Amino acid sequence: CDPMLVSEAAKQIGLNTQTLRLGLQQRVFPFGEAIKTSENRYVYHINPVALQKYLDGELSHIKGW
């Protein structure tokens, strides 16, 4: 499946995009990752299948819990 935009995922969750980006950087959400590419830059990957499972309550909020 193709990754989705941070803005699309944020809208589905009900967060603003910056909050979602920070959560991905801090590894809070189990449906995506933030990959650090330089000192102040990240690339974000959101798995839409995992996001739907999260929204359905099938994935816990914090990775590894």
Side-chain angles (χ1 to χ4, degrees), residues 2-51:
D2 292 329
M4 69 187 326
L5 296 174
V6 173
S7 58
E8 292 175 37
K11 186 183 289 188
Q12 288 187 30
I13 299 169
L15 295 175
N16 70 46
T17 55
Q18 187 59 20
T19 301
L20 180 53
R21 285 186 184 110
L22 290 171
L24 292 169
Q25 289 172 22
Q26 296 169 16
R27 304 179 66 100
V28 172
F29 298 110
F31 51 78
E33 298 177 314
I35 301 152
K36 193 169 189 173
T37 58
S38 67
E39 182 73 24
N40 296 312
R41 290 200 169 258
Y42 289 82
V43 173
Y44 301 92
H45 175 269
I46 296 172
N47 181 313
V49 173
L51 174 60

